[in-house]
Amino acid sequence: MNAPDSKPFSTQFGHLGSEPLSIESMTSKEYFELEREKIFKKSWLNVGRVEDLPEPGDYRVQSIAILQSSLLIVRGDDRRIRAFHNVCRHRGNEITSGCGNARGFSCDFHGWTYSNQGELAFVPDEGQFFDLDKSQLGLPAVHCETWNGFIFINAAPKPAESLTEYLGGLGDQLKDFPFDQMVPMHTLEAEVNANWKVIIDAFQESYHAGFVHRLTAGDMLDPDSDDPYMHLSSVRLFGPHRSASVPMNPDYVAQNRPAEMLSYQLASSLWLQSGAMQQQFMPGTNPGNHKHWLFDINVCFPNFFVDVANGWFFTYHFWPIAVDKTLWQYRFYMIPPADAGEAISREYSKLALRDLLREDLNTVEATQRGLMSGAIKEIHLSDQEVAVRHQYKVVEQLVRG
Amino acid sequence: MSNRLLPEPFKGLEPFAQQWGLEDEASRNLKRINSAMENLREFYQAVLPEMQSIVTYLRPVPLAELNSQQRRLLNLAKMLMEVAPAIEIFNQPDVPNSFEPERFLILPPFANTPAGLVRD
Ligand code: FES
Ligand SMILES: [Fe+2]
């Protein structure tokens, strides 16, 4: 049965081991608090793309439970995007909420006013204060850098490395993908009753596809081929980040599904990208140069995915709320439709992935219930679940380190 | 007739236009999951054979310049795509064994959401 070469990832990444893993990090409140301090308050975290804030003065407030913070992300009149704590220097009131466009922000409590570049511009009845140095009292800044149009923040007083250094090899792999040629098609969001890592796990292996997605993606697996379980084609580890390539079933046909077939005929779209096999792959994709390639899973540690394919990409954010509760968010981007035929085709792409994601989210809640029951103490991972193993190893090292 | 909802060549689909030609994805999904299979099937069987003609008719018009009848027709075609998995895959209106739709938000690209995205 198990020929040695049927477990390539354990050879390639021998340092990760092969032992069962403890479930403590998925169920323990104490562990969750350690993750907050040792991971989330020190890592570069994605908070969207530059196109979200196209004009000077565009801003939005993002409350991030795991940071116990509300952040104001704003493009200043100088066009630079910055992040601040949404906290007034006077007595700590929150400055603003929601999103919009503003020249500045005025605190509701006593009217201290800040520019959209964060400087304290005006203090009512300033003469009553003692030695107030307004130049030192701008909004409390949060480190903010962009990479390829993605905005990241880092809540550490002094981040250990720049964003580019942090992204490392994952950034190199993705640097030429044409992110800026694609537009968001929709956003999906749910509060999911599961640990953030448990949810991530469901999106970084292909083992579950034939079971959880037997209806929505069952035809992606070919039981008569030499790859009946849709094995990952290749895996790359980049420090805390990871990347895996998922294969395409070359014999996929949407049998008895005329509407789905139509979506492939009308445009280069979701799975059957008109002649995907012969097509040139977009830069930043398929680094293993696999012949039958579907898409790459790209996990930017700790809580952000940028999965890329030929002509589309999507992001996931997993924002931890509690040890067993996570705000999950998905955004799907495609090349904008040029005509009605492409718009109709893209509509199918959108909803096919959407329906499939509801299968994943249902499963992870059931998994978390099982873990919380205390019935098992550890989980057993196959070679195919190397990305899952990598995540727990990275987290454990940071939490205990 | 000026109160026709669809372009003249598609007047045969007029009975479906009001209820099925919905403007946004969330409404189309809600319509699908709250409809009986026989109604989904009736809609699917009526619209599927027209899809090729719909595309041929709409394709020359730039998307930003569709008039309200053409836009309604496009939405009807998108609704066909929405209904398709129920007929072609699930044999029921909604995805079996899936996360509750009430807890699952389908939002436009730049919706302002709990995670704080921008622009409605
Ligand atoms: S707390 Fe903001 S002006 Fe007083
Ligand atoms: Fe899945």
Side-chain angles (χ1 to χ4, degrees):
Chain A
M1 289 190 37
N2 293 311
D5 64 355
S6 71
K7 296 204 256 326
F9 304 129
S10 66
T11 315
Q12 196 181 342
F13 309 114
H15 63 285
L16 294 179
S18 57
E19 76 287 0
L21 299 182
S22 163
I23 68 160
E24 185 198 356
S25 76
M26 311 163 208
T27 56
S28 154
K29 287 196 175 94
E30 292 72 31
Y31 202 99
F32 184 77
E33 288 307 317
L34 290 169
E35 289 176 339
R36 186 197 307 279
E37 298 304 323
K38 303 213 168 186
I39 296 174
F40 285 90
K41 289 193 175 179
K42 294 180 174 175
S43 299
W44 286 102
L45 305 173
N46 178 266
V47 291
R49 283 190 56 78
V50 294
E51 295 87 3
D52 301 345
L53 303 168
E55 300 303 327
D58 282 350
Y59 72 92
R60 64 188 180 82
V61 171
Q62 179 163 350
S63 291
I64 301 182
I66 191 72
L67 298 181
Q68 295 158 316
S69 294
S70 165
L71 301 186
L72 169 62
I73 301 151
V74 54
R75 190 187 283 272
D77 281 342
D78 61 355
R79 298 204 65 86
R80 201 176 129 194
I81 294 177
R82 296 178 178 83
F84 302 99
H85 287 286
N86 181 26
V87 175
C88 182
R89 282 283 184 178
H90 175 224
R91 278 163 53 192
N93 193 31
E94 287 193 348
I95 296 279
T96 187
S97 60
C99 62
N101 182 281
R103 300 299 310 277
F105 304 93
S106 189
C107 178
D108 282 344
F109 205 168
H110 315 91
W112 283 35
T113 301
Y114 304 84
S115 77
N116 59 22
Q117 297 175 196
E119 303 123 327
L120 177 56
F122 176 67
V123 173
D125 207 5
E126 189 179 349
Q128 288 294 303
F129 281 91
F130 309 91
D131 306 322
L132 207 62
D133 180 358
K134 294 219 293 292
S135 72
Q136 296 302 306
L137 294 175
L139 287 172
V142 176
H143 295 276
C144 180
E145 293 181 20
T146 60
W147 174 87
N148 232 335
F150 290 99
I151 309 168
F152 286 76
I153 60 97
N154 191 316
K158 198 175 177 330
E161 47 197 348
S162 72
L163 174 61
T164 309
E165 288 164 351
Y166 179 75
L167 295 175
L170 183 65
D172 292 341
Q173 184 182 304
L174 285 170
K175 73 178 185 328
D176 295 324
F177 187 83
F179 293 110
D180 57 358
Q181 289 172 30
M182 304 193 193
V183 295
M185 304 297 287
H186 66 178
T187 298
L188 306 174
E189 197 166 283
E191 204 172 277
V192 182
N193 295 319
N195 183 267
W196 63 279
K197 301 183 298 302
V198 170
I199 311 177
I200 285 179
D201 289 340
F203 297 109
Q204 57 178 355
E205 45 92 348
S206 53
Y207 189 21
H208 73 283
F211 305 93
V212 172
H213 306 307
R214 62 186 169 276
L215 283 175
T216 46
D219 293 353
M220 278 296 147
L221 286 78
D222 182 354
D224 302 322
S225 74
D226 54 6
D227 183 21
Y229 288 105
M230 203 179 178
H231 281 172
L232 296 174
S233 308
S234 57
V235 174
R236 293 152 295 278
L237 303 181
F238 305 108
H241 318 296
R242 64 203 80 99
S243 168
S245 297
V246 179
M248 167 88 196
N249 170 7
D251 300 321
Y252 181 78
V253 275
Q255 197 100 55
N256 303 320
R257 299 179 184 181
E260 181 181 347
M261 267 323 289
L262 182 67
S263 84
Y264 303 134
Q265 287 153 10
L266 292 175
S268 165
S269 201
L270 196 58
W271 303 134
L272 292 186
Q273 303 130 353
S274 51
M277 305 314 162
Q278 292 81 36
Q279 207 165 16
Q280 278 237 307
F281 298 113
M282 278 185 171
T285 68
N286 191 15
N289 208 16
H290 306 292
K291 188 155 167 259
H292 304 306
W293 171 81
L294 195 58
F295 73 109
D296 293 329
I297 299 167
N298 295 307
V299 187
C300 180
F301 185 81
N303 68 331
F304 178 52
F305 279 45
V306 187
D307 286 11
V308 298
N310 242 7
W312 51 265
F313 74 98
F314 61 71
T315 62
Y316 299 124
H317 291 85
F318 305 82
W319 292 109
I321 297 169
V323 65
D324 56 356
K325 194 183 280 294
T326 304
L327 179 64
W328 170 88
Q329 192 186 56
Y330 162 93
R331 290 176 89 189
F332 185 44
Y333 298 76
M334 299 184 97
I335 293 171
D339 58 34
E342 291 192 2
I344 293 165
S345 172
R346 303 266 198 279
E347 189 66 16
Y348 191 86
S349 306
K350 276 163 69 178
L351 64 90
L353 288 182
R354 182 200 70 204
D355 282 356
L356 176 148
L357 289 166
R358 283 182 49 212
E359 296 175 323
D360 289 308
L361 295 185
N362 180 57
T363 304
V364 297
E365 288 199 333
T367 303
Q368 187 72 29
R369 288 194 297 274
L371 294 170
M372 295 306 270
S373 77
I376 62 170
K377 297 275 176 282
E378 50 191 28
I379 56 170
H380 299 266
L381 300 176
S382 76
D383 198 52
Q384 281 297 310
E385 292 157 293
V386 61
V388 177
R389 181 178 294 281
H390 180 243
Q391 163 163 262
Y392 289 100
K393 294 284 173 170
V394 170
V395 168
E396 177 74 8
Q397 206 170 22
L398 290 166
V399 161
R400 303 291 178 208
Chain B
M1 285 288 287
S2 58
N3 57 358
R4 194 174 272 155
L5 293 173
L6 297 174
E8 150 73 24
F10 300 95
K11 57 175 187 277
L13 298 176
E14 200 69 29
F16 298 101
Q18 179 79 46
Q19 286 195 25
W20 300 83
L22 300 170
E23 180 64 32
D24 62 277
E25 182 190 354
S27 323
R28 291 191 292 266
N29 182 244
L30 202 63
K31 172 73 175 166
R32 177 183 110 192
I33 67 181
N34 289 329
S35 295
M37 273 313 272
E38 59 173 301
N39 295 333
L40 293 175
R41 207 166 277 121
E42 187 193 3
F43 172 77
Y44 178 85
Q45 283 164 359
V47 179
L48 184 66
E50 301 293 329
M51 286 298 278
Q52 216 43 268
S53 331
I54 293 175
V55 172
T56 308
Y57 179 82
L58 291 177
R59 224 173 207 161
V61 191
L63 284 169
E65 290 167 27
L66 295 175
N67 65 30
S68 68
Q69 291 179 333
Q70 293 164 334
R71 186 151 189 92
R72 176 78 69 162
L73 184 65
L74 176 62
N75 288 333
L76 207 64
K78 288 183 175 178
M79 188 69 197
L80 186 277
M81 289 303 187
E82 176 68 47
V83 167
I87 308 291
E88 299 181 355
I89 303 176
F90 306 136
N91 204 25
Q92 63 177 55
D94 203 4
V95 194
N97 304 316
S98 68
F99 195 83
E100 296 99 301
E102 299 76 19
R103 299 169 55 211
F104 188 84
L105 302 180
I106 302 171
L107 302 159
F110 288 106
N112 188 25
T113 76
L117 285 174
V118 285
R119 292 193 291 186
D120 294 302

